[in-house]
Amino acid sequence: MEPINTTGWRSALAGSQMLFVAFGALVLMPLITGMDPNVALFTAGLGTLMFQFTTQRQVPVFLASSFAFIAPILYSNQTWGLAATLGGLLAAGVMYMLLSLLVHLRGPGFIRRLLPPVVVGPVIMVIGLGLASVAVNMAMGKAGDGSAQLVDYPLAILISMASLVTTIVVAVFAKGIFRLVPILAGVAVGYTLSWILGVVDFSAVGQANWLAVPGFVTPEFKLAAILFMIPVAIAPAIEHIGDVLAIGSVTGKDYIRKPGLQRTLLGDGLATSAAALLGGPPNTTYSEVTGAVMLTRNFNPNVMVWAAVFAMALAFIDKFGAALLSMPVPVMGGILCLLFGSIAVVGMNTLIQNQVDLSRPRNLCIVSVTLVFGIGGLMIGNSDFSLQGISLCGIVAIALNLLLPDPDKVEPAAA
């Protein structure tokens, strides 16, 4: 089938559809981490425009909030505050840019050798499984850390399970474009049920203005927060490569060669650093949008430019952001029970698809140590500086992969 040639109002309409597909996941990230959803909308649009400019508008990709950063952001916010967290996220964006430079100098195979599936798989699994308690606490009506009961338990369970079941049903049984928006469907049902049960407080929505500048936040730089956040960029960088390959398989083009992986990584890095400069969550390529491109056969990158413009315009509607912030925690908690598990499954699937043999002692050691360190919450360091969670796991997995001998790569002895 030939790609649709969209121009003018058709391109704008298609762009609004792409934003609709990405919207549920886009705003869920800032709501979980305590960021401003209006800022997230603006920085997603800005990041997409920067990506399209960097890649010369050759790749039909939309950039938005990365779930891989949720756990590190929650920890960093609690430890160093939002401004220092943003400084760390800006540095993570610079990490993307350095990876881009390495790809330019040594070719795309370099990243594959440094970050093979046996490293990437368990790190992605830790990102999901490390957040399981946060999802369960929110589903039961508590704060993410379980410190306070925000919604009565019976109501919370009813709302969270309704959100979860709706998300599952839409993801499994819906047809056409609707199967691409399970998160949005879960949010809609959970929010509506919360309103019926009298759990939603609309006072902030009534006090908000219709139009207002998003609440931008400037970063500050603390070495501990920066060193904590930089290794987190490993997993999203690999996810980015997978998304670029996926969209290439849909459109029938080799984006690794043209515009080149170095350009797509650079665009992602610039978008993430720009978002951090304004107080938004880090950006990444969106698999949901890749699915929408596959379904609609709409391969025109201009569509993503329109989606970016719509996102930036929507960011200035203050009542919209206030309505999102009024969403009770059980709505998000129910959806996160599926979402965080799905992230872990992506890591598991990375090991399976690449046929990583876990009966080999080398692979078993890398995966086992990474999982236990991450899920168990091991911390190395002191009160001034420490490594734990995703950052520790990423460093440990890479170090073990480089230090432990790989029999498959050892040259046979001369006869």
Side-chain angles (χ1 to χ4, degrees):
M1 184 184 296
E2 291 295 320
I4 298 172
N5 182 20
T6 53
T7 57
W9 68 269
R10 290 186 179 86
S11 184
L13 182 62
S16 65
Q17 177 176 260
M18 292 300 174
L19 180 60
F20 174 76
V21 169
F23 182 79
L26 193 166
V27 299
L28 197 61
M29 158 72 158
L31 290 175
I32 297 166
T33 57
M35 292 181 169
D36 188 327
N38 283 30
V39 173
L41 279 167
F42 184 87
T43 54
L46 177 63
T48 299
L49 292 180
M50 296 179 74
F51 179 90
Q52 292 297 335
F53 176 79
T54 305
T55 58
Q56 301 171 328
R57 286 191 299 171
Q58 295 186 48
V59 189
V61 156
F62 184 87
L63 269 62
S65 314
S66 171
F67 286 122
F69 283 89
I70 291 177
I73 289 175
L74 288 173
Y75 175 81
S76 184
N77 279 346
Q78 184 178 5
T79 307
W80 299 291
L82 177 59
T85 298
L86 294 172
L89 293 174
L90 193 153
V94 174
M95 181 69 176
Y96 275 106
M97 300 178 210
L98 292 176
L99 288 173
S100 168
L101 178 61
L102 289 172
V103 170
H104 176 69
L105 296 174
R106 305 190 60 175
F110 164 76
I111 290 184
R112 184 74 174 180
R113 292 190 294 272
L114 181 66
L115 303 170
V118 72
V119 169
V120 176
V123 171
I124 295 176
M125 291 172 71
V126 167
I127 291 173
L129 295 176
L131 291 164
S133 61
V134 174
V136 170
N137 281 332
M138 293 174 69
M140 295 190 296
K142 300 178 181 179
D145 59 0
S147 60
Q149 187 76 38
L150 305 177
V151 178
D152 289 342
Y153 174 78
L155 291 177
I157 285 293
L158 179 61
I159 294 167
S160 61
M161 292 303 104
S163 301
L164 174 60
V165 169
T166 302
T167 306
I168 293 173
V169 168
V170 173
V172 175
F173 297 107
K175 303 295 183 182
I177 195 70
F178 295 105
R179 70 182 178 86
L180 299 173
V181 290
I183 293 175
L184 202 60
V187 167
V189 169
Y191 200 114
T192 303
L193 184 58
S194 299
W195 172 65
I196 293 172
L197 295 174
V199 176
V200 183
D201 181 6
F202 287 114
S203 57
V205 180
Q207 295 169 6
N209 298 318
W210 277 104
L211 297 176
V213 176
F216 298 121
V217 180
T218 54
E220 65 180 43
F221 300 99
K222 290 185 179 179
L223 182 60
I226 290 172
L227 293 177
F228 171 80
M229 200 63 72
I230 285 176
V232 181
I234 293 170
I238 297 298
E239 181 187 12
H240 168 89
I241 297 170
D243 285 336
V244 171
L245 290 170
I247 194 68
S249 67
V250 171
T251 61
K253 295 182 179 180
D254 185 2
Y255 296 122
I256 299 294
R257 184 182 61 84
K258 183 182 180 183
L261 184 60
Q262 69 275 14
R263 281 186 175 271
T264 64
L265 278 170
L266 177 61
D268 212 334
L270 289 171
T272 292
S273 291
L277 279 171
L278 297 173
N283 286 311
T284 190
T285 47
Y286 251 33
S287 300
E288 291 94 331
V289 173
T290 300
V293 170
M294 184 185 302
L295 184 69
T296 62
R297 311 296 294 176
N298 197 334
F299 302 155
N300 189 346
N302 287 333
V303 169
M304 304 305 170
V305 173
W306 276 108
V309 171
F310 284 134
M312 295 175 74
L314 197 59
F316 288 89
I317 303 178
D318 195 30
K319 282 190 180 294
F320 177 73
L324 291 174
L325 289 171
S326 69
M327 190 183 305
V329 290
V331 177
M332 293 179 285
I335 296 169
L336 292 181
C337 288
L338 174 64
L339 190 62
F340 291 162
S342 300
I343 295 173
V345 171
V346 169
M348 189 185 306
N349 196 42
T350 299
L351 297 174
I352 295 171
Q353 282 192 334
N354 291 278
Q355 299 180 334
V356 176
D357 186 0
L358 294 180
S359 66
R360 293 178 55 196
R362 178 184 185 276
N363 294 340
L364 180 64
C365 289
I366 294 172
V367 174
S368 300
V369 172
T370 303
L371 288 176
V372 172
F373 278 17
I375 298 171
L378 179 70
M379 181 182 73
I380 295 178
N382 52 39
S383 57
D384 296 323
F385 172 71
S386 63
L387 283 174
Q388 71 177 69
I390 310 301
S391 57
L392 176 61
C393 288
I395 293 172
V396 168
I398 291 173
L400 289 175
N401 178 62
L402 294 175
L403 295 173
L404 296 179
D406 187 348
D408 291 343
K409 295 182 180 179
V410 175
E411 295 293 332

